[in-house]
Amino acid sequence: MRRPIVVLGLGNPLMGDEGVGVALVQDLARRAADYPAADFVDAGTGGLSVLHQMDGRTKAILVDCALMGEAPGTIRRFTPDQVASIKSLSGLSGHEGDLVRIVAMARALGQCPNEVVFLGIEPEVVAPGRTLSDGVAGRWPEYMRQILAELTCT
Amino acid sequence: MSSAMKIHVHHVTRVEGHGNIVVNASNGKVEKVEWQVPEAPRFFEAMVRGHSYQDIQTIVSRICGICSITHSLAATKAVENALGIEVSEQADAVRILMHYSEQLQSHVLHIGYLAAPDFFGVPSVVPLAAKAGEAVKTVIRLHRLANEWSDLIAGRTTHPVTLTPGGLTRIPTEQQFRDLQQRLKDCVKDLNAVVEVVLSVAGVIPRFERPTEYVSLRQDNPATYTFYHGQIASTDCDGTVPINDWKTVANEYVCDQSTSKWCKWHRDAYAVGALARFNNNADLLSPMAKEVAKRFGLKKGCTNPFMNTVAQLVEVGHVVETSIRMIDGLLTKGLKQEKVKAKPKRAGKASGCVEAPRGILFHEYEFDKKGRCLSADICIPTGQNHANIQKDFEALVPQILHEGQDAVRHKLEMLVRSYDPCISCSTHALEVTFV
């Protein structure tokens, strides 16, 4: 039986802050025993595979590096209905998966959780490298608090 | 008809990474036809230098989010070849099963999400979900099975964590293998449904023939439709070339219209991928795969690049059927818990090769005697296909010019997608030095 909540961390850990979502779920997975209602999944750059992780859940929390025009390090909560994708390569290739449209597709197929929440983190550095920038790493407790606050279903 | 045609498709959608299509024509005469790859180089070969032989497969798996298992396997095989590390028969079989999971994953992704919209005449899989919902759900079920199969053996859907030089850090239990085998048997119904759906729209696959060279792995002993072992084979020559000599096959060169290197062997271009494997090894396919090929009229010697998608569907049947049999073999012998303690036996330089879903892939590394990486060279399948796509364009455009701008653009996009390219993996465009 699937746990009702899934926290999906997306990104590429070899591209600096691009991998922040993955780093956060890896950190959370270490204390997974404290949160029996949730699965913490490193979704990497899996694109459409996100569909499979959302199916059969009540709530999905998608944590990803996001270009939102905010100050670097800022975390913002939003729902699919509050945003429009402006990604230019949005033909839904397996690689260039557009999360917003993947959620739309899950809805069209009746395989979408009732509640989908994005937690976007504005990057400081997206470039080859295996570490997070200070501007992002320095706000870790805030990110963790915000994710953990989502681990209830409305 | 007197008219000017200017097509510039900037970044073909539904392929992995960026590629441009340029066609200029006037008064029925083609002036310029180009397949351009402007994707930025990613320097993975520089990134692994100085790293331990134990870390290479983890780093290079990030070359691709679709064929990460393939890159990890090619790297691991190269590491083992270079450092004299041996792998047990059981680990070898489990790795092949891991590799098959990615073939299924990637092929289903391509057929169902990327090529199917072309077959149904819709721009992407999102509207397809509304038009052919049941078919899309079937594809999603198969894709999910493939992902969970990768999870089970690789430890993760993408970017495997169980793979290590000398073997695997963990293998599934007997019960997990039995459950997987049952799921594979159960999925045959879904596979047949996908075959029926694709057959129902197969009339839209363009009829275009252009003889070219097809290059893939071939395994003679035992004769196998191979994705993992063997030597390099071609439809243009008899015999095979050893993996370590892959540079005499790829003959990489720089081309002005692309940031990725191009390749050629016996002709000015060659093709790799499912159709290349089929053309070299079709007689070794499993019975179910042969049946699928027969239903589509796909025969060895096919020179229609658009049929690559059908060849992928044939291979889907093969990997499922073969995996069911391989699991029987593993369980009959009995699973053994193996501890991997691989240490470099020497310094060395060698290559590893596997078939990525989209074609033959070469990795080469050099290590010092402590196992520290001194250099790397990676040659990916899409890089090997670029010249062939260009030659297809040059042959196809004059044949279809009269169909008008929209049709030409659509067919060229379809052609590129039929190669299932992964342009962002075209890793080593240029060699540079920073001063």
PDB file of all heavy atoms in Angstrom, chain B residues 106-121:
ATOM      1  N   SER B 106      13.056   3.158 -21.695  1.00  0.00           N
ATOM      2  CA  SER B 106      13.342   4.166 -22.706  1.00  0.00           C
ATOM      3  C   SER B 106      12.496   3.953 -23.967  1.00  0.00           C
ATOM      4  O   SER B 106      11.960   4.906 -24.537  1.00  0.00           O
ATOM      5  CB  SER B 106      14.833   4.120 -23.054  1.00  0.00           C
ATOM      6  OG  SER B 106      15.129   5.075 -24.039  1.00  0.00           O
ATOM      7  N   HIS B 107      12.375   2.702 -24.390  1.00  0.00           N
ATOM      8  CA  HIS B 107      11.598   2.435 -25.609  1.00  0.00           C
ATOM      9  C   HIS B 107      10.130   2.799 -25.409  1.00  0.00           C
ATOM     10  O   HIS B 107       9.494   3.371 -26.296  1.00  0.00           O
ATOM     11  CB  HIS B 107      11.702   0.949 -25.999  1.00  0.00           C
ATOM     12  CG  HIS B 107      12.990   0.583 -26.700  1.00  0.00           C
ATOM     13  ND1 HIS B 107      13.989   1.483 -26.967  1.00  0.00           N
ATOM     14  CD2 HIS B 107      13.424  -0.609 -27.200  1.00  0.00           C
ATOM     15  CE1 HIS B 107      14.985   0.869 -27.608  1.00  0.00           C
ATOM     16  NE2 HIS B 107      14.669  -0.406 -27.751  1.00  0.00           N
ATOM     17  N   VAL B 108       9.583   2.451 -24.251  1.00  0.00           N
ATOM     18  CA  VAL B 108       8.174   2.764 -23.995  1.00  0.00           C
ATOM     19  C   VAL B 108       7.989   4.279 -23.953  1.00  0.00           C
ATOM     20  O   VAL B 108       7.012   4.816 -24.486  1.00  0.00           O
ATOM     21  CB  VAL B 108       7.697   2.104 -22.682  1.00  0.00           C
ATOM     22  CG1 VAL B 108       6.366   2.678 -22.242  1.00  0.00           C
ATOM     23  CG2 VAL B 108       7.586   0.594 -22.864  1.00  0.00           C
ATOM     24  N   LEU B 109       8.945   4.957 -23.344  1.00  0.00           N
ATOM     25  CA  LEU B 109       8.906   6.425 -23.296  1.00  0.00           C
ATOM     26  C   LEU B 109       8.883   6.988 -24.714  1.00  0.00           C
ATOM     27  O   LEU B 109       8.081   7.863 -25.049  1.00  0.00           O
ATOM     28  CB  LEU B 109      10.136   6.933 -22.543  1.00  0.00           C
ATOM     29  CG  LEU B 109      10.246   8.431 -22.301  1.00  0.00           C
ATOM     30  CD1 LEU B 109       9.362   8.851 -21.154  1.00  0.00           C
ATOM     31  CD2 LEU B 109      11.686   8.820 -21.995  1.00  0.00           C
ATOM     32  N   HIS B 110       9.759   6.462 -25.552  1.00  0.00           N
ATOM     33  CA  HIS B 110       9.841   6.995 -26.914  1.00  0.00           C
ATOM     34  C   HIS B 110       8.602   6.662 -27.734  1.00  0.00           C
ATOM     35  O   HIS B 110       7.996   7.531 -28.357  1.00  0.00           O
ATOM     36  CB  HIS B 110      11.098   6.465 -27.621  1.00  0.00           C
ATOM     37  CG  HIS B 110      11.210   6.981 -29.033  1.00  0.00           C
ATOM     38  ND1 HIS B 110      11.120   6.177 -30.141  1.00  0.00           N
ATOM     39  CD2 HIS B 110      11.367   8.239 -29.506  1.00  0.00           C
ATOM     40  CE1 HIS B 110      11.222   6.919 -31.233  1.00  0.00           C
ATOM     41  NE2 HIS B 110      11.380   8.163 -30.875  1.00  0.00           N
ATOM     42  N   ILE B 111       8.213   5.383 -27.696  1.00  0.00           N
ATOM     43  CA  ILE B 111       7.067   4.976 -28.518  1.00  0.00           C
ATOM     44  C   ILE B 111       5.787   5.671 -28.034  1.00  0.00           C
ATOM     45  O   ILE B 111       5.025   6.229 -28.811  1.00  0.00           O
ATOM     46  CB  ILE B 111       6.873   3.431 -28.452  1.00  0.00           C
ATOM     47  CG1 ILE B 111       8.098   2.714 -29.017  1.00  0.00           C
ATOM     48  CG2 ILE B 111       5.601   3.016 -29.195  1.00  0.00           C
ATOM     49  CD1 ILE B 111       8.197   1.242 -28.605  1.00  0.00           C
ATOM     50  N   GLY B 112       5.580   5.645 -26.731  1.00  0.00           N
ATOM     51  CA  GLY B 112       4.299   6.088 -26.179  1.00  0.00           C
ATOM     52  C   GLY B 112       4.176   7.589 -26.013  1.00  0.00           C
ATOM     53  O   GLY B 112       3.115   8.166 -26.261  1.00  0.00           O
ATOM     54  N   TYR B 113       5.240   8.228 -25.570  1.00  0.00           N
ATOM     55  CA  TYR B 113       5.129   9.651 -25.252  1.00  0.00           C
ATOM     56  C   TYR B 113       5.671  10.560 -26.340  1.00  0.00           C
ATOM     57  O   TYR B 113       5.249  11.691 -26.470  1.00  0.00           O
ATOM     58  CB  TYR B 113       5.895   9.968 -23.959  1.00  0.00           C
ATOM     59  CG  TYR B 113       5.413   9.255 -22.720  1.00  0.00           C
ATOM     60  CD1 TYR B 113       6.306   8.898 -21.715  1.00  0.00           C
ATOM     61  CD2 TYR B 113       4.068   8.955 -22.532  1.00  0.00           C
ATOM     62  CE1 TYR B 113       5.884   8.251 -20.563  1.00  0.00           C
ATOM     63  CE2 TYR B 113       3.633   8.307 -21.388  1.00  0.00           C
ATOM     64  CZ  TYR B 113       4.548   7.958 -20.402  1.00  0.00           C
ATOM     65  OH  TYR B 113       4.123   7.319 -19.271  1.00  0.00           O
ATOM     66  N   LEU B 114       6.648  10.089 -27.095  1.00  0.00           N
ATOM     67  CA  LEU B 114       7.315  10.982 -28.041  1.00  0.00           C
ATOM     68  C   LEU B 114       6.940  10.717 -29.505  1.00  0.00           C
ATOM     69  O   LEU B 114       6.767  11.637 -30.279  1.00  0.00           O
ATOM     70  CB  LEU B 114       8.839  10.896 -27.873  1.00  0.00           C
ATOM     71  CG  LEU B 114       9.349  11.013 -26.433  1.00  0.00           C
ATOM     72  CD1 LEU B 114      10.861  10.912 -26.377  1.00  0.00           C
ATOM     73  CD2 LEU B 114       8.898  12.291 -25.770  1.00  0.00           C
ATOM     74  N   ALA B 115       6.817   9.433 -29.882  1.00  0.00           N
ATOM     75  CA  ALA B 115       6.474   9.122 -31.275  1.00  0.00           C
ATOM     76  C   ALA B 115       4.960   9.037 -31.487  1.00  0.00           C
ATOM     77  O   ALA B 115       4.447   9.448 -32.536  1.00  0.00           O
ATOM     78  CB  ALA B 115       7.138   7.811 -31.707  1.00  0.00           C
ATOM     79  N   ALA B 116       4.231   8.515 -30.507  1.00  0.00           N
ATOM     80  CA  ALA B 116       2.786   8.322 -30.673  1.00  0.00           C
ATOM     81  C   ALA B 116       2.048   9.610 -31.062  1.00  0.00           C
ATOM     82  O   ALA B 116       1.147   9.563 -31.905  1.00  0.00           O
ATOM     83  CB  ALA B 116       2.175   7.702 -29.418  1.00  0.00           C
ATOM     84  N   PRO B 117       2.397  10.766 -30.469  1.00  0.00           N
ATOM     85  CA  PRO B 117       1.706  11.987 -30.910  1.00  0.00           C
ATOM     86  C   PRO B 117       1.830  12.216 -32.422  1.00  0.00           C
ATOM     87  O   PRO B 117       0.882  12.686 -33.052  1.00  0.00           O
ATOM     88  CB  PRO B 117       2.399  13.099 -30.107  1.00  0.00           C
ATOM     89  CG  PRO B 117       2.854  12.411 -28.856  1.00  0.00           C
ATOM     90  CD  PRO B 117       3.272  11.035 -29.306  1.00  0.00           C
ATOM     91  N   ASP B 118       2.982  11.861 -33.023  1.00  0.00           N
ATOM     92  CA  ASP B 118       3.120  11.966 -34.483  1.00  0.00           C
ATOM     93  C   ASP B 118       2.145  11.024 -35.176  1.00  0.00           C
ATOM     94  O   ASP B 118       1.511  11.376 -36.163  1.00  0.00           O
ATOM     95  CB  ASP B 118       4.550  11.602 -34.916  1.00  0.00           C
ATOM     96  CG  ASP B 118       5.544  12.729 -34.659  1.00  0.00           C
ATOM     97  OD1 ASP B 118       5.124  13.898 -34.669  1.00  0.00           O
ATOM     98  OD2 ASP B 118       6.726  12.424 -34.437  1.00  0.00           O
ATOM     99  N   PHE B 119       2.046   9.805 -34.652  1.00  0.00           N
ATOM    100  CA  PHE B 119       1.155   8.822 -35.280  1.00  0.00           C
ATOM    101  C   PHE B 119      -0.306   9.274 -35.212  1.00  0.00           C
ATOM    102  O   PHE B 119      -1.100   8.999 -36.100  1.00  0.00           O
ATOM    103  CB  PHE B 119       1.291   7.449 -34.601  1.00  0.00           C
ATOM    104  CG  PHE B 119       2.665   6.833 -34.714  1.00  0.00           C
ATOM    105  CD1 PHE B 119       3.101   5.891 -33.796  1.00  0.00           C
ATOM    106  CD2 PHE B 119       3.509   7.181 -35.747  1.00  0.00           C
ATOM    107  CE1 PHE B 119       4.353   5.312 -33.893  1.00  0.00           C
ATOM    108  CE2 PHE B 119       4.780   6.608 -35.850  1.00  0.00           C
ATOM    109  CZ  PHE B 119       5.199   5.669 -34.922  1.00  0.00           C
ATOM    110  N   PHE B 120      -0.662   9.953 -34.125  1.00  0.00           N
ATOM    111  CA  PHE B 120      -2.058  10.367 -33.944  1.00  0.00           C
ATOM    112  C   PHE B 120      -2.320  11.802 -34.403  1.00  0.00           C
ATOM    113  O   PHE B 120      -3.439  12.298 -34.286  1.00  0.00           O
ATOM    114  CB  PHE B 120      -2.463  10.218 -32.471  1.00  0.00           C
ATOM    115  CG  PHE B 120      -2.760   8.792 -32.083  1.00  0.00           C
ATOM    116  CD1 PHE B 120      -1.756   7.972 -31.588  1.00  0.00           C
ATOM    117  CD2 PHE B 120      -4.036   8.272 -32.240  1.00  0.00           C
ATOM    118  CE1 PHE B 120      -2.016   6.658 -31.235  1.00  0.00           C
ATOM    119  CE2 PHE B 120      -4.305   6.955 -31.896  1.00  0.00           C
ATOM    120  CZ  PHE B 120      -3.290   6.139 -31.385  1.00  0.00           C
ATOM    121  N   GLY B 121      -1.263  12.481 -34.868  1.00  0.00           N
ATOM    122  CA  GLY B 121      -1.442  13.832 -35.387  1.00  0.00           C
ATOM    123  C   GLY B 121      -1.766  14.870 -34.335  1.00  0.00           C
ATOM    124  O   GLY B 121      -2.563  15.782 -34.557  1.00  0.00           O
TER     125      GLY B 121
END
